[in-house]
Amino acid sequence: MDSREYLEKTLKVIKGPRERDYGDKYMNHVNISKLWSDYLSYEISPHDVAICMLLVKIARLKHRPTEDCYVDIAGYAAIAGEIEDTTQELLNKES
């Protein structure tokens, strides 16, 4: 598969099954960040969640590279960027 095919597959996954299964990407990562923050007694941002999930996929590549890992890494990178943009937009509205 070439780079374009990986990115196209990533878009299909993000906008298809994952969105149906987990709902809005931003709110899902907000919910995860609250749970992780409570559990760890340390503030974790929604952006941190996306980056940490990306790192999980990178760790799995060390064991066995799979197409799914590469698709998910691209997806989490895109989600992290979207979360950062959304967070900045919300902060700008507040100020």
Side-chain angles (χ1 to χ4, degrees):
M1 197 172 352
D2 66 23
S3 299
R4 181 183 197 92
E5 291 170 313
Y6 271 104
L7 292 172
E8 287 171 352
K9 184 169 184 173
T10 299
L11 282 172
K12 286 179 186 172
V13 169
I14 290 174
K15 297 304 286 177
R18 303 274 165 73
E19 191 169 57
R20 282 192 305 276
D21 291 344
Y22 308 127
D24 177 75
K25 295 180 292 299
Y26 181 77
M27 288 311 302
N28 184 44
H29 284 71
V30 166
N31 291 334
I32 294 168
S33 71
K34 288 177 182 177
L35 290 168
W36 287 7
S37 294
D38 287 347
Y39 181 78
L40 297 169
S41 299
Y42 180 84
E43 178 110 15
I44 304 293
S45 73
H47 183 265
D48 291 335
V49 170
I51 297 301
C52 288
M53 295 303 292
L54 187 151
L55 291 171
V56 166
K57 292 297 182 170
I58 290 172
R60 290 178 179 171
L61 285 176
K62 289 182 77 171
H63 173 69
R64 186 168 71 91
T66 65
E67 181 181 299
D68 179 66
C69 283
Y70 293 114
V71 168
D72 286 350
I73 287 168
Y76 282 120
I79 289 168
E82 184 177 334
I83 287 170
E84 183 63 23
D85 291 348
T86 301
T87 301
Q88 290 305 313
E89 288 172 14
L90 292 171
L91 290 173
N92 289 338
K93 284 182 184 178
E94 291 176 1
S95 56

